[in-house]
Amino acid sequence: MKPTNPTKLNLMTREAFGDLSLHQKNDYLQGLANQFAEVNDRESVTLDRDALARLRRYYSRRVWADLKLEEGGGGLLNRHLRSLGELIRNKSIEEDVAGALMQETAPRRVLRTPPTDDAQLMFFVPTIYDAPIKDDVNLMDIAPFSLSKRGTRGVIKYELKDSLITIEGGVESGLATVFDYDIFLNMVSYLAEEVQKFRREDKKGLKPSLPPKTYRPSASHILKFCRRSDGGKSYEDLEAALDRLANTTIKVVNLSGGKRRAVDSRPLIGGYRVVSRTSSNKMEMVEITIPDWVYASVVRNEVTLPLLTLHQDYFLISSGIGRFIYRLARKAAGKAPATYSLKEVHYRSASEQELRKFAYDLREFVTRTQAFPMPEFDLSFVDGKEGPMLRMERRDGYGKAEPERLASSS
């Protein structure tokens, strides 16, 4: 939410608004409220009769710029004055309407509303596993994706204590987003479940086969796993997300003993192909190739694997910054509270925002969690030597987190 500096509105002129019928005015104002809520991270609301009446009054409100310049003729000076008056009047209207919409809407909840058939999720994959460790670098320490809802151009670079990490997206597709990453989580979770099944059967002497390096989920299965609606646009978004994931690569350079050792770039997914489509050309079945680095990390024969479970409500966190903070907390604050400076959180998030703007949005998110708690963790700010620090603490009742332990074959 941005109460002190709401996003600029693109309002129709007062004259054009005045030509609308009452019904058209109300429809326009409701659409304006929906747009305002979306871009200002507010809750969408249905405006009642009183709210609509207040907003309509702002369009007919007269300000000092409403000069009766038409009485002075059509000279150049009067034309300039009329233009200036209209600009001032429109600016006043915009400020009034923006302020009214800020009052009518409420801060957006931390968690979005789950889809109507959300209860079916339990019949799919009950456990959500996050990324394995890659070359001694845990991907939950950073954001291996863009925090935006749409793919962005550019490269993300991290210089950590023991490694250099570069994340690069495709030229046309752009970087994978934090919301695209849901599909990666689905892939890792599927593989982890298959490994557990393999080890249980192997322990019984059934001589099972290792999980394949490809799997074929239906598009509807992925959407249910990620707790998304089953609408037509969801399928289009899913295909675009697969493009970005297939073209986003991670390169790690380990700094061991002062010497640099380059590691080949590796994709978030090894690739995909659409196996079948519906009669309306929606993606129906897809085949996803599990990249070698993920497969080797999860399938290797060890008792403890570098996987952490995520709360199922992770998929309902509506903002990119919220999802990043949850993953950071899950990794760093599982056993004991963890604190990070605002500068460090900003750096690890790879946000394109300036630190000042990022800090503002982070404060707003933490404030929202006081009314709408984030899954598992409580957030607050504490004083540090160089300024405020973000404190993350696991909520009572969740116990202490440990890396997931898959059944051993021995």
Side-chain angles (χ1 to χ4, degrees), residues 214-231:
T214 60
Y215 78 116
R216 288 189 174 188
S218 67
S220 61
H221 171 96
I222 296 176
L223 292 173
K224 283 185 170 61
F225 177 89
C226 301
R227 304 182 74 176
R228 301 186 190 181
S229 65
D230 203 19

PDB file of all heavy atoms in Angstrom, residues 214-231:
ATOM      1  N   THR A 214      12.347 -37.271 -16.575  1.00  0.00           N
ATOM      2  CA  THR A 214      11.251 -36.456 -17.086  1.00  0.00           C
ATOM      3  C   THR A 214       9.974 -36.868 -16.372  1.00  0.00           C
ATOM      4  O   THR A 214       9.864 -37.992 -15.879  1.00  0.00           O
ATOM      5  CB  THR A 214      11.045 -36.644 -18.604  1.00  0.00           C
ATOM      6  OG1 THR A 214      10.747 -38.019 -18.869  1.00  0.00           O
ATOM      7  CG2 THR A 214      12.284 -36.226 -19.370  1.00  0.00           C
ATOM      8  N   TYR A 215       9.032 -35.968 -16.285  1.00  0.00           N
ATOM      9  CA  TYR A 215       7.716 -36.331 -15.760  1.00  0.00           C
ATOM     10  C   TYR A 215       6.644 -35.581 -16.528  1.00  0.00           C
ATOM     11  O   TYR A 215       6.909 -34.548 -17.142  1.00  0.00           O
ATOM     12  CB  TYR A 215       7.629 -36.091 -14.254  1.00  0.00           C
ATOM     13  CG  TYR A 215       7.420 -34.673 -13.803  1.00  0.00           C
ATOM     14  CD1 TYR A 215       6.260 -34.302 -13.126  1.00  0.00           C
ATOM     15  CD2 TYR A 215       8.394 -33.699 -14.009  1.00  0.00           C
ATOM     16  CE1 TYR A 215       6.075 -33.008 -12.678  1.00  0.00           C
ATOM     17  CE2 TYR A 215       8.214 -32.400 -13.563  1.00  0.00           C
ATOM     18  CZ  TYR A 215       7.051 -32.061 -12.899  1.00  0.00           C
ATOM     19  OH  TYR A 215       6.864 -30.783 -12.475  1.00  0.00           O
ATOM     20  N   ARG A 216       5.451 -36.160 -16.523  1.00  0.00           N
ATOM     21  CA  ARG A 216       4.368 -35.640 -17.359  1.00  0.00           C
ATOM     22  C   ARG A 216       3.161 -35.268 -16.504  1.00  0.00           C
ATOM     23  O   ARG A 216       2.210 -36.037 -16.397  1.00  0.00           O
ATOM     24  CB  ARG A 216       3.961 -36.662 -18.411  1.00  0.00           C
ATOM     25  CG  ARG A 216       4.961 -36.850 -19.529  1.00  0.00           C
ATOM     26  CD  ARG A 216       4.359 -37.720 -20.619  1.00  0.00           C
ATOM     27  NE  ARG A 216       5.219 -37.813 -21.771  1.00  0.00           N
ATOM     28  CZ  ARG A 216       4.875 -38.376 -22.922  1.00  0.00           C
ATOM     29  NH1 ARG A 216       3.654 -38.891 -23.044  1.00  0.00           N
ATOM     30  NH2 ARG A 216       5.719 -38.424 -23.929  1.00  0.00           N
ATOM     31  N   PRO A 217       3.188 -34.114 -15.913  1.00  0.00           N
ATOM     32  CA  PRO A 217       1.995 -33.675 -15.169  1.00  0.00           C
ATOM     33  C   PRO A 217       0.980 -33.060 -16.122  1.00  0.00           C
ATOM     34  O   PRO A 217       1.337 -32.552 -17.188  1.00  0.00           O
ATOM     35  CB  PRO A 217       2.555 -32.617 -14.219  1.00  0.00           C
ATOM     36  CG  PRO A 217       3.687 -32.011 -15.002  1.00  0.00           C
ATOM     37  CD  PRO A 217       4.282 -33.137 -15.812  1.00  0.00           C
ATOM     38  N   SER A 218      -0.266 -33.099 -15.761  1.00  0.00           N
ATOM     39  CA  SER A 218      -1.272 -32.342 -16.508  1.00  0.00           C
ATOM     40  C   SER A 218      -1.183 -30.889 -16.063  1.00  0.00           C
ATOM     41  O   SER A 218      -0.738 -30.579 -14.954  1.00  0.00           O
ATOM     42  CB  SER A 218      -2.668 -32.897 -16.251  1.00  0.00           C
ATOM     43  OG  SER A 218      -3.044 -32.681 -14.899  1.00  0.00           O
ATOM     44  N   ALA A 219      -1.599 -29.996 -16.947  1.00  0.00           N
ATOM     45  CA  ALA A 219      -1.588 -28.575 -16.596  1.00  0.00           C
ATOM     46  C   ALA A 219      -2.495 -28.316 -15.395  1.00  0.00           C
ATOM     47  O   ALA A 219      -2.152 -27.521 -14.514  1.00  0.00           O
ATOM     48  CB  ALA A 219      -2.038 -27.740 -17.793  1.00  0.00           C
ATOM     49  N   SER A 220      -3.622 -29.012 -15.335  1.00  0.00           N
ATOM     50  CA  SER A 220      -4.539 -28.814 -14.207  1.00  0.00           C
ATOM     51  C   SER A 220      -3.912 -29.291 -12.901  1.00  0.00           C
ATOM     52  O   SER A 220      -4.150 -28.713 -11.839  1.00  0.00           O
ATOM     53  CB  SER A 220      -5.859 -29.548 -14.458  1.00  0.00           C
ATOM     54  OG  SER A 220      -5.654 -30.946 -14.590  1.00  0.00           O
ATOM     55  N   HIS A 221      -3.095 -30.337 -12.957  1.00  0.00           N
ATOM     56  CA  HIS A 221      -2.396 -30.821 -11.757  1.00  0.00           C
ATOM     57  C   HIS A 221      -1.444 -29.741 -11.228  1.00  0.00           C
ATOM     58  O   HIS A 221      -1.407 -29.476 -10.020  1.00  0.00           O
ATOM     59  CB  HIS A 221      -1.619 -32.094 -12.078  1.00  0.00           C
ATOM     60  CG  HIS A 221      -0.707 -32.545 -10.966  1.00  0.00           C
ATOM     61  ND1 HIS A 221      -1.066 -33.493 -10.043  1.00  0.00           N
ATOM     62  CD2 HIS A 221       0.539 -32.145 -10.612  1.00  0.00           C
ATOM     63  CE1 HIS A 221      -0.080 -33.657  -9.179  1.00  0.00           C
ATOM     64  NE2 HIS A 221       0.912 -32.860  -9.513  1.00  0.00           N
ATOM     65  N   ILE A 222      -0.660 -29.136 -12.137  1.00  0.00           N
ATOM     66  CA  ILE A 222       0.271 -28.095 -11.713  1.00  0.00           C
ATOM     67  C   ILE A 222      -0.483 -26.932 -11.081  1.00  0.00           C
ATOM     68  O   ILE A 222      -0.084 -26.398 -10.041  1.00  0.00           O
ATOM     69  CB  ILE A 222       1.121 -27.608 -12.906  1.00  0.00           C
ATOM     70  CG1 ILE A 222       2.006 -28.737 -13.433  1.00  0.00           C
ATOM     71  CG2 ILE A 222       1.986 -26.421 -12.489  1.00  0.00           C
ATOM     72  CD1 ILE A 222       2.801 -28.357 -14.667  1.00  0.00           C
ATOM     73  N   LEU A 223      -1.585 -26.522 -11.716  1.00  0.00           N
ATOM     74  CA  LEU A 223      -2.362 -25.400 -11.195  1.00  0.00           C
ATOM     75  C   LEU A 223      -2.924 -25.711  -9.814  1.00  0.00           C
ATOM     76  O   LEU A 223      -2.919 -24.847  -8.925  1.00  0.00           O
ATOM     77  CB  LEU A 223      -3.493 -25.049 -12.159  1.00  0.00           C
ATOM     78  CG  LEU A 223      -3.064 -24.453 -13.509  1.00  0.00           C
ATOM     79  CD1 LEU A 223      -4.261 -24.301 -14.435  1.00  0.00           C
ATOM     80  CD2 LEU A 223      -2.365 -23.113 -13.311  1.00  0.00           C
ATOM     81  N   LYS A 224      -3.405 -26.928  -9.605  1.00  0.00           N
ATOM     82  CA  LYS A 224      -3.929 -27.301  -8.287  1.00  0.00           C
ATOM     83  C   LYS A 224      -2.814 -27.357  -7.256  1.00  0.00           C
ATOM     84  O   LYS A 224      -2.988 -26.914  -6.115  1.00  0.00           O
ATOM     85  CB  LYS A 224      -4.655 -28.652  -8.372  1.00  0.00           C
ATOM     86  CG  LYS A 224      -6.050 -28.567  -8.988  1.00  0.00           C
ATOM     87  CD  LYS A 224      -6.734 -29.909  -8.930  1.00  0.00           C
ATOM     88  CE  LYS A 224      -8.207 -29.786  -9.325  1.00  0.00           C
ATOM     89  NZ  LYS A 224      -8.411 -29.296 -10.679  1.00  0.00           N
ATOM     90  N   PHE A 225      -1.670 -27.908  -7.629  1.00  0.00           N
ATOM     91  CA  PHE A 225      -0.520 -27.961  -6.723  1.00  0.00           C
ATOM     92  C   PHE A 225      -0.130 -26.550  -6.281  1.00  0.00           C
ATOM     93  O   PHE A 225       0.176 -26.320  -5.110  1.00  0.00           O
ATOM     94  CB  PHE A 225       0.655 -28.643  -7.417  1.00  0.00           C
ATOM     95  CG  PHE A 225       1.911 -28.684  -6.585  1.00  0.00           C
ATOM     96  CD1 PHE A 225       2.160 -29.740  -5.725  1.00  0.00           C
ATOM     97  CD2 PHE A 225       2.853 -27.671  -6.678  1.00  0.00           C
ATOM     98  CE1 PHE A 225       3.321 -29.777  -4.960  1.00  0.00           C
ATOM     99  CE2 PHE A 225       4.013 -27.692  -5.918  1.00  0.00           C
ATOM    100  CZ  PHE A 225       4.245 -28.755  -5.053  1.00  0.00           C
ATOM    101  N   CYS A 226      -0.134 -25.614  -7.239  1.00  0.00           N
ATOM    102  CA  CYS A 226       0.260 -24.228  -6.955  1.00  0.00           C
ATOM    103  C   CYS A 226      -0.899 -23.395  -6.414  1.00  0.00           C
ATOM    104  O   CYS A 226      -0.736 -22.186  -6.227  1.00  0.00           O
ATOM    105  CB  CYS A 226       0.822 -23.581  -8.225  1.00  0.00           C
ATOM    106  SG  CYS A 226       2.263 -24.429  -8.907  1.00  0.00           S
ATOM    107  N   ARG A 227      -2.048 -24.038  -6.194  1.00  0.00           N
ATOM    108  CA  ARG A 227      -3.233 -23.395  -5.622  1.00  0.00           C
ATOM    109  C   ARG A 227      -3.660 -22.190  -6.451  1.00  0.00           C
ATOM    110  O   ARG A 227      -3.918 -21.108  -5.938  1.00  0.00           O
ATOM    111  CB  ARG A 227      -2.983 -23.028  -4.158  1.00  0.00           C
ATOM    112  CG  ARG A 227      -2.572 -24.219  -3.311  1.00  0.00           C
ATOM    113  CD  ARG A 227      -2.361 -23.880  -1.872  1.00  0.00           C
ATOM    114  NE  ARG A 227      -3.621 -23.668  -1.176  1.00  0.00           N
ATOM    115  CZ  ARG A 227      -3.722 -23.421   0.134  1.00  0.00           C
ATOM    116  NH1 ARG A 227      -2.625 -23.367   0.873  1.00  0.00           N
ATOM    117  NH2 ARG A 227      -4.902 -23.219   0.708  1.00  0.00           N
ATOM    118  N   ARG A 228      -3.751 -22.406  -7.755  1.00  0.00           N
ATOM    119  CA  ARG A 228      -4.197 -21.381  -8.678  1.00  0.00           C
ATOM    120  C   ARG A 228      -5.544 -21.772  -9.271  1.00  0.00           C
ATOM    121  O   ARG A 228      -5.902 -22.945  -9.319  1.00  0.00           O
ATOM    122  CB  ARG A 228      -3.183 -21.187  -9.808  1.00  0.00           C
ATOM    123  CG  ARG A 228      -1.796 -20.783  -9.336  1.00  0.00           C
ATOM    124  CD  ARG A 228      -0.899 -20.478 -10.498  1.00  0.00           C
ATOM    125  NE  ARG A 228       0.493 -20.312 -10.090  1.00  0.00           N
ATOM    126  CZ  ARG A 228       1.489 -20.018 -10.919  1.00  0.00           C
ATOM    127  NH1 ARG A 228       1.235 -19.869 -12.207  1.00  0.00           N
ATOM    128  NH2 ARG A 228       2.724 -19.900 -10.468  1.00  0.00           N
ATOM    129  N   SER A 229      -6.264 -20.774  -9.769  1.00  0.00           N
ATOM    130  CA  SER A 229      -7.554 -21.031 -10.385  1.00  0.00           C
ATOM    131  C   SER A 229      -7.369 -21.785 -11.690  1.00  0.00           C
ATOM    132  O   SER A 229      -6.286 -21.771 -12.298  1.00  0.00           O
ATOM    133  CB  SER A 229      -8.294 -19.717 -10.639  1.00  0.00           C
ATOM    134  OG  SER A 229      -7.591 -18.934 -11.585  1.00  0.00           O
ATOM    135  N   ASP A 230      -8.445 -22.425 -12.139  1.00  0.00           N
ATOM    136  CA  ASP A 230      -8.397 -23.267 -13.323  1.00  0.00           C
ATOM    137  C   ASP A 230      -8.949 -22.539 -14.543  1.00  0.00           C
ATOM    138  O   ASP A 230      -9.481 -23.161 -15.454  1.00  0.00           O
ATOM    139  CB  ASP A 230      -9.207 -24.555 -13.055  1.00  0.00           C
ATOM    140  CG  ASP A 230      -8.779 -25.690 -13.958  1.00  0.00           C
ATOM    141  OD1 ASP A 230      -7.674 -25.615 -14.512  1.00  0.00           O
ATOM    142  OD2 ASP A 230      -9.562 -26.646 -14.121  1.00  0.00           O
ATOM    143  N   GLY A 231      -8.829 -21.205 -14.577  1.00  0.00           N
ATOM    144  CA  GLY A 231      -9.360 -20.418 -15.684  1.00  0.00           C
ATOM    145  C   GLY A 231      -8.480 -20.487 -16.909  1.00  0.00           C
ATOM    146  O   GLY A 231      -7.325 -20.933 -16.854  1.00  0.00           O
TER     147      GLY A 231
END
